[in-house]
């Protein structure tokens, strides 16, 4: 595998960014791997690498770069700071960041940006849906234990599904105070009524954070199923 780290100039700051892709062949379809609220850490880069082994050009970035160059709540233990950083981000900011990432990848002969995928977790679950709505070449968006998929705001993801030009997959934890059943059900109803294709799937017996091995809520069977669903989605829509 080929790995590279650099600071991407977004016009709003220098965003620490990592690219991982297969050594040969290509160009490889671009997938944006959006970090969760705890911040950029090796686990995120390892998961990006696992995805890249399936033949993708994967980019992941420190989305808190406007405030800090580095942050990992598992090292600092400062959850108040995590919520502060998370609150400073908006859907539109991440849409712009995704645009900068796509533009950068388009200049790399190893990347194919004609069809792009995006995946988000927890905080970045709604970001993934909104990135798909904002960029016509994003053909596949996956959200796992994503929050704020339905919100009382003009930029709520459920209100922008008609702008999505591809498939949306939502993997929801059975027990999740950040994404309660009524929110997931409301999003599913909006998806069904929209022009977008996709599905909402429940993961029985799981809690918020089940996909991440370093979280106490990790569920191995559910996490492996999330990988299977993600690979199926990207294989259908990107390759």
């Amino acid at each position: 595998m080929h790995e590279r780290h650099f600071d991407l100039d977004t016009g709003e700051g220098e965003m620490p960014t990592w690219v991982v892709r297969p050594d040969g062949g290509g160009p490889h379809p671009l997938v944006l791997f959006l970090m969760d609220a705890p911040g950029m850490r090796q686990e995120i880069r390892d998961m990006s690498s696992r995805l890249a082994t399936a033949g993708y050009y994967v980019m992941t970035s420190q989305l808190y770069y406007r405030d800090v160059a580095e942050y990992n709540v598992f090292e600092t233990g400062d959850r108040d700071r995590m919520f502060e950083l998370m609150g400073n981000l908006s859907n539109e900011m991440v849409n712009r960041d995704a645009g900068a990432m796509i533009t950068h990848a388009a200049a790399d002969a190893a990347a194919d940006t004609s069809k792009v995928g995006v995946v988000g977790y927890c905080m970045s679950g709604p970001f993934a849906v909104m990135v798909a709505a904002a960029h016509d070449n994003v053909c596949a968006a996956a959200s796992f234990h994503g929050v704020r998929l339905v919100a009382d705001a003009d930029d709520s993801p459920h209100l922008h599904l008609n702008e999505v030009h591809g498939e949306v997959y939502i993997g929801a934890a059975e027990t999740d105070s950040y994404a309660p059943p009524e929110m997931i059900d409301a999003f599913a109803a909006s998806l069904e009524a929209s022009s977008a294709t996709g599905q909402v799937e429940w993961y029985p017996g799981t809690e918020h954070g089940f996909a991440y091995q370093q979280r106490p809520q990790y569920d191995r069977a559910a996490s492996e199923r999330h990988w299977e669903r993600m690979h199926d989605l990207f294989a259908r829509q990107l390759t």
Side-chain angles (χ1 to χ4, degrees):
M1 300 297 290
H2 176 84
E3 299 184 28
R4 184 163 63 98
H5 166 256
F6 57 95
D7 290 333
L8 178 60
D9 184 359
T10 68
E12 300 174 54
E14 299 291 322
M15 181 167 67
T17 300
W18 290 261
V19 169
V20 58
R21 62 168 175 81
D23 285 328
H28 306 285
L30 171 64
V31 176
L32 307 182
F33 195 109
L34 305 180
M35 74 177 205
D36 59 348
M40 180 53 64
R41 57 198 186 277
Q42 188 59 45
E43 183 177 26
I44 299 290
R45 295 188 286 272
D46 289 344
M47 292 173 75
S48 297
S49 294
R50 176 172 175 174
L51 180 57
T53 62
Y56 299 106
Y57 182 109
V58 182
M59 297 183 74
T60 188
S61 295
Q62 167 58 281
L63 296 178
Y64 294 149
Y65 71 95
R66 293 175 180 85
D67 293 307
V68 293
E70 297 180 9
Y71 179 79
N72 178 355
V73 75
F74 296 115
E75 293 180 352
T76 68
D78 188 350
R79 289 176 58 83
D80 289 340
R81 180 59 167 157
M82 179 184 76
F83 285 113
E84 178 186 5
L85 292 170
M86 182 170 56
N88 289 344
L89 273 182
S90 69
N91 290 333
E92 183 53 38
M93 286 177 179
V94 178
N95 284 344
R96 294 196 300 269
D97 294 340
M101 295 164 77
I102 293 170
T103 297
H104 179 88
D108 189 338
D112 177 4
T113 59
S114 61
K115 293 182 178 180
V116 176
V118 58
V119 58
Y121 299 82
C122 309
M123 168 189 79
S124 59
F127 295 158
V129 178
M130 292 301 288
V131 166
H135 300 277
D136 291 348
N137 56 339
V138 175
C139 301
S143 164
F144 296 97
H145 35 80
V147 304
R148 292 184 58 81
L149 293 169
V150 176
D152 185 16
D154 291 342
D155 65 347
S156 177
H158 81 290
L159 298 177
H160 293 267
L161 288 167
N162 286 330
E163 299 159 33
V164 174
H165 298 279
E167 185 176 352
V168 174
Y169 176 86
I170 305 296
E174 181 179 26
T175 302
D176 193 338
S177 61
Y178 298 106
E182 57 269 22
M183 186 196 79
I184 300 299
D185 290 342
F187 185 88
S190 295
L191 179 60
E192 178 67 23
S194 76
S195 60
T197 60
Q199 72 172 117
V200 173
E201 183 175 19
W202 292 98
Y203 285 62
T206 63
E207 299 178 38
H208 184 81
F210 66 80
Y212 281 90
Q213 191 168 4
Q214 294 180 2
R215 288 195 179 197
Q217 300 85 2
Y218 173 68
D219 184 298
R220 183 180 183 279
S223 182
E224 290 303 309
R225 192 201 329 172
H226 117 275
W227 282 110
E228 179 185 354
R229 298 295 192 267
M230 191 191 331
H231 284 303
D232 286 348
L233 172 67
F234 291 154
R236 282 196 308 273
Q237 297 299 332
L238 306 185
T239 63

